[in-house]
Amino acid sequence: MTTQNQDTGTERALRALRALTDDRPSVRLRAALEIGTHPDPGHVGTLVERCAVEPEFSVREMLTWALTRLPAGTTVPPLIDEVRSELPQARSQALHTLSKVGDPRAWPAITPELLADPDDEVARSAWRAAVVLVPEGEERRLAETLAAQLGRGGRETRLSLSRALIALGEVIVPVLEGAAARPDPAVRAHAVATGRLLRDPDEGFEFAVEQARRVVALGGEGPGEG
């Protein structure tokens, strides 16, 4: 009876793995759920590879969940390898998954190059992973590295960076003050807006940006001032 159950489980797992490449997103989603419900370290490679090419956000999220169900010792090394991929989605999803796993062994993989990745989605994923994985005592250095990206991209990218910086806490105040003195008005406005959100998280990003632009235009208040 046990052998029969094992065979059934193996067959079910093989079907689920094959279904990850089905044309229908709903089928792929159920397959990822099935694989995560019955975690098997032998499936890590397939899950990581699928993350790199899966077009549907909801399926990628389920693949990440399935990976978090496995021991970090089996998932972290291939995910670290993946952040060096030439495919932006592979890098982004691997970083996203590492942020969910939260294993400190992944911190050395969060390089300055990844934090400044030219692909905005990769950079955003790197910022989120960095603030989760940063070792105690390295927050100021990380804040300085992240602050080099102030003024970058559109609304979503700037909001992601502000959130990442704010997650580091008060250590960012002097870093933002330095950024607010840079010649680029977009950098100054982003720094001031981030400082406003640090002091008042309920203010809202759009309002903080608008107020920050006004401040910068008038040459007034810095990020750490009320």
Side-chain angles (χ1 to χ4, degrees), residues 135-222:
E136 185 176 355
E138 291 291 322
E139 293 89 351
R140 173 63 182 265
R141 185 178 301 179
L142 175 59
E144 291 170 349
T145 302
L146 293 178
Q149 302 298 308
L150 285 165
R152 168 180 174 168
R155 178 191 180 280
E156 289 304 316
T157 296
R158 296 187 187 194
L159 177 56
S160 291
L161 182 57
S162 291
R163 286 172 171 167
L165 283 163
I166 290 166
L168 296 173
E170 292 293 326
V171 70
I172 71 171
V173 171
V175 176
L176 293 176
E177 289 173 347
R182 294 185 202 166
D184 186 337
V187 172
R188 297 203 306 272
H190 195 181
V192 172
T194 303
R196 293 181 67 93
L197 287 174
L198 176 66
R199 296 193 305 274
D200 183 6
D202 295 327
E203 183 172 63
F205 186 67
E206 299 295 347
F207 181 75
V209 168
E210 185 58 35
Q211 292 298 106
R213 286 174 178 160
R214 186 175 305 170
V215 166
V216 167
L218 296 173
E221 158 194 344

Side-chain angles (χ1 to χ4, degrees), residues 81-95:
D81 288 341
E82 199 74 352
V83 303
R84 306 184 186 102
S85 170
E86 294 182 0
L87 297 175
Q89 182 174 302
R91 299 196 301 276
S92 176
Q93 198 64 26
L95 287 162

Side-chain angles (χ1 to χ4, degrees), residues 39-48 66-81 97-98 101 103 105:
D40 183 337
H43 300 158
V44 170
T46 301
L47 291 170
V48 171
L67 284 163
T68 65
R69 298 266 294 157
L70 293 161
T74 66
T75 58
V76 169
L79 288 169
I80 288 175
D81 288 341
T97 305
L98 286 170
V101 173
D103 191 291
R105 289 172 293 183

